């Protein structure tokens, strides 16, 4: 379905063939054991940890969008740690984004270090070091929360020349925003908790690749460690996937309008949105991204002003995570990110643009 539009693809992704009398999307299969053939034993389904048809349908759907084979996990963090631990061995070196999701760096500086894996931290926007001696290069683009964009083609070329694998965290962009496997990456990892499912009611992660050896490692890791998403969560995720194109379109349009509003305010500094022509990441985002996500970051100068802004706003919920239906914002320093005290990550929802701009203006004025 790659020759069809995004709206068509997300509506039909992973659905079974039409059968009269059957639903478009079958309900969740809630099972731990299944009936076995008394003679042959397990066939398609044997036990719920490695086998679940609802999960397989979701994996097929996301795989159509990413362009690879997918394995779903209980959360984005479960997916990324599965990737790291199934690929890396003692004595290996992994390159991680210095400005990406802080919990990944914490995992590397704790568990991976204790296992004998060395970490090199690299800024998302560069400059990039030599990757000689590196086993895996993990990039997150656009980076969370600062929204720098990585030149994927350049990093893939340099890493592969040095013999390193490349994995791309595609959480912020989603597979409708960019397709890293088509740009040469070996693996994709993402949190489906965010915009992919987009209703703030599911924790989900996944790994995607076209490499048979890598997907076998990830599959074995998941089966042996048990970090699976439940069938109902998989069904909710698959159901929500159908509106991804519509949700992203409104979120991106809102982000463009919000960025334009904030750019004209002298009391807001450090504005970042890769869709702005003045943004440092604008040119590279235009060359490798199919659409810009609905996340804007900026600085209000102090934690106290952020608190006043969030208290004054009627439409912006104070909450972490991003990519949901509701506009949310949080002060990232409170979670451990290496950001200024007044740094805000704002995730645009699907509210009417005029209402959102009016609310933000009033809240900023009051703050």
């Amino acid at each position: 379905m790659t020759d069809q539009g995004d709206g068509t693809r997300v509506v039909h992704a992973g659905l079974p063939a039409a059968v009269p009398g059957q639903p478009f999307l079958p309900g969740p299969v809630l099972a731990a054991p299944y009936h076995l053939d008394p003679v042959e034993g397990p066939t398609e389904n044997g036990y719920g940890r490695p086998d679940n048809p609802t999960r397989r349908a979701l994996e097929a759907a996301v795989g159509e969008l990413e362009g690879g084979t997918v394995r779903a996990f209980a959360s984005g963090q479960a997916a990324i740690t599965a990737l790291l631990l199934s690929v890396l061995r003692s004595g290996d070196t992994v390159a991680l984004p210095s400005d990406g999701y802080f919990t990944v760096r914490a995992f590397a500086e704790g568990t991976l270090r204790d296992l004998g894996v060395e970490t090199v931290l690299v800024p998302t926007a560069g400059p990039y070091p030599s990757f000689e001696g590196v086993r895996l290069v993990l990039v997150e683009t656009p980076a969370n929360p600062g929204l720098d964009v990585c030149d994927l083609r350049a990093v893939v070329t340099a890493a592969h020349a040095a013999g390193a694998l490349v994995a791309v965290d595609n959480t912020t962009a989603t597979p409708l925003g960019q397709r890293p496997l088509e740009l040469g990456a070996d693996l994709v990892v993402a949190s489906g908790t965010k915009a992919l499912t987009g209703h703030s009611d599911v924790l989900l992660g996944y790994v995607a690749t076209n490499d048979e050896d890598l997907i076998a490692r990830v599959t074995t890791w998941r089966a042996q460690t048990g970090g699976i998403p439940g069938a109902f969560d998989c069904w909710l995720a698959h159901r929500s996937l159908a509106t991804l194109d519509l949700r992203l379109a409104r979120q991106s349009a809102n982000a463009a309008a919000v960025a334009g509003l904030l750019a004209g305010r002298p009391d807001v500094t450090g504005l970042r949105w890769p869709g702005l022509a003045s943004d440092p990441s604008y040119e590279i985002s235009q060359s490798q991204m199919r659409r810009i996500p609905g996340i804007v970051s900026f600085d209000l100068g102090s934690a106290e002003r952020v608190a006043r802004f969030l208290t004054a706003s009627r439409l912006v919920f104070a909450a972490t995570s991003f990519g949901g239906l509701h506009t949310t914002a949080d002060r990232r320093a409170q979670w451990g990110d290496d950001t200024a005290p007044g740094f805000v990550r704002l995730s645009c929802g699907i509210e009417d643009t005029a209402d959102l701009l009016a609310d933000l203006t009033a809240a900023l004025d009051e703050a």
Side-chain angles (χ1 to χ4, degrees):
M1 293 198 302
T2 55
D3 58 334
Q4 296 179 327
D6 286 347
T8 303
R9 294 170 60 227
V10 296
V11 166
H12 289 273
L15 296 185
V19 176
Q22 297 300 309
F24 298 166
L25 177 64
V29 176
L30 305 174
Y34 304 86
H35 288 294
L36 303 180
D37 184 290
V39 177
E40 300 297 332
T43 52
E44 185 178 31
N45 295 312
Y47 181 61
R49 176 163 34 83
D51 305 320
N52 182 275
T54 309
R55 187 170 68 232
R56 287 197 297 269
L58 172 65
E59 291 171 341
V62 178
E64 289 181 28
L65 303 181
E66 286 285 5
T69 302
V70 165
R71 293 293 177 264
F73 286 83
S75 68
Q77 189 66 11
I80 203 165
T81 54
L83 165 66
L84 294 171
L85 290 170
S86 61
V87 169
L88 298 171
R89 299 292 180 267
S90 180
D92 285 344
T93 298
V94 59
L96 299 178
S98 59
D99 52 343
Y101 186 45
F102 75 96
T103 307
V104 176
R105 293 195 302 277
F107 179 78
E109 293 163 1
T111 300
L112 290 185
R113 180 195 59 204
D114 292 345
L115 293 174
V117 175
E118 183 178 344
T119 299
V120 175
L121 297 180
V122 182
T124 294
Y128 309 124
S130 168
F131 294 122
E132 292 295 331
V134 173
R135 167 63 174 157
L136 175 68
V137 178
L138 173 65
V139 299
E140 180 184 19
T141 181
N144 169 33
L147 300 180
D148 267 334
V149 175
C150 171
D151 186 338
L152 287 179
R153 293 181 182 89
V155 169
V156 166
T157 299
H160 285 173
L165 295 170
V166 177
V168 177
D169 187 328
N170 208 26
T171 300
T172 307
T174 82
L176 296 194
Q178 69 188 4
R179 290 163 62 93
L181 296 178
E182 290 184 353
L183 297 173
D186 301 287
L187 301 119
V188 168
V189 64
S191 169
T193 308
K194 312 298 192 295
L196 187 81
T197 58
H199 286 72
S200 305
D201 55 7
V202 171
L203 289 175
L204 186 78
Y206 66 88
V207 175
T209 183
N210 285 310
D211 186 298
E212 292 184 3
D213 175 65
L214 292 175
I215 201 65
R217 293 191 194 191
V218 171
T219 304
T220 298
W221 176 268
R222 187 183 66 178
Q224 293 179 349
T225 58
I228 59 167
F232 188 65
D233 282 354
C234 289
W235 182 84
L236 283 174
H238 199 165
R239 178 212 60 177
S240 301
L241 197 63
T243 60
L244 177 59
D245 175 59
L246 296 174
R247 290 185 280 106
L248 290 181
R250 174 60 69 86
Q251 290 166 343
S252 183
N254 277 347
V258 167
L261 169 71
L262 298 179
R265 292 190 63 104
D267 56 348
V268 174
T269 61
L271 174 64
R272 294 298 306 272
W273 186 61
L276 275 178
S278 58
D279 191 272
S281 294
Y282 177 77
E283 289 189 10
I284 187 61
S285 69
Q286 295 301 302
S287 73
Q288 72 184 26
M289 297 185 69
R290 302 173 63 240
R291 64 177 85 194
I292 308 300
I295 305 165
V296 179
S297 65
F298 53 93
D299 200 316
L300 293 183
S302 69
E304 292 75 20
R305 185 161 185 246
V306 175
R308 293 196 300 271
F309 162 69
L310 292 174
T311 301
S313 174
R314 294 168 50 247
L315 297 182
V316 181
F317 293 166
T320 192
S321 196
F322 56 88
L325 302 176
H326 312 87
T327 296
T328 62
D330 64 340
R331 193 175 64 83
R332 292 308 300 167
Q334 68 186 327
W335 298 101
D337 280 326
D338 185 18
T339 57
F343 177 93
V344 175
R345 182 185 67 195
L346 185 140
S347 172
C348 294
I350 63 169
E351 297 91 350
D352 286 321
T353 304
D355 294 336
L356 185 58
L357 294 181
D359 180 77
L360 286 173
T361 300
L364 287 169
D365 289 345
E366 186 171 337

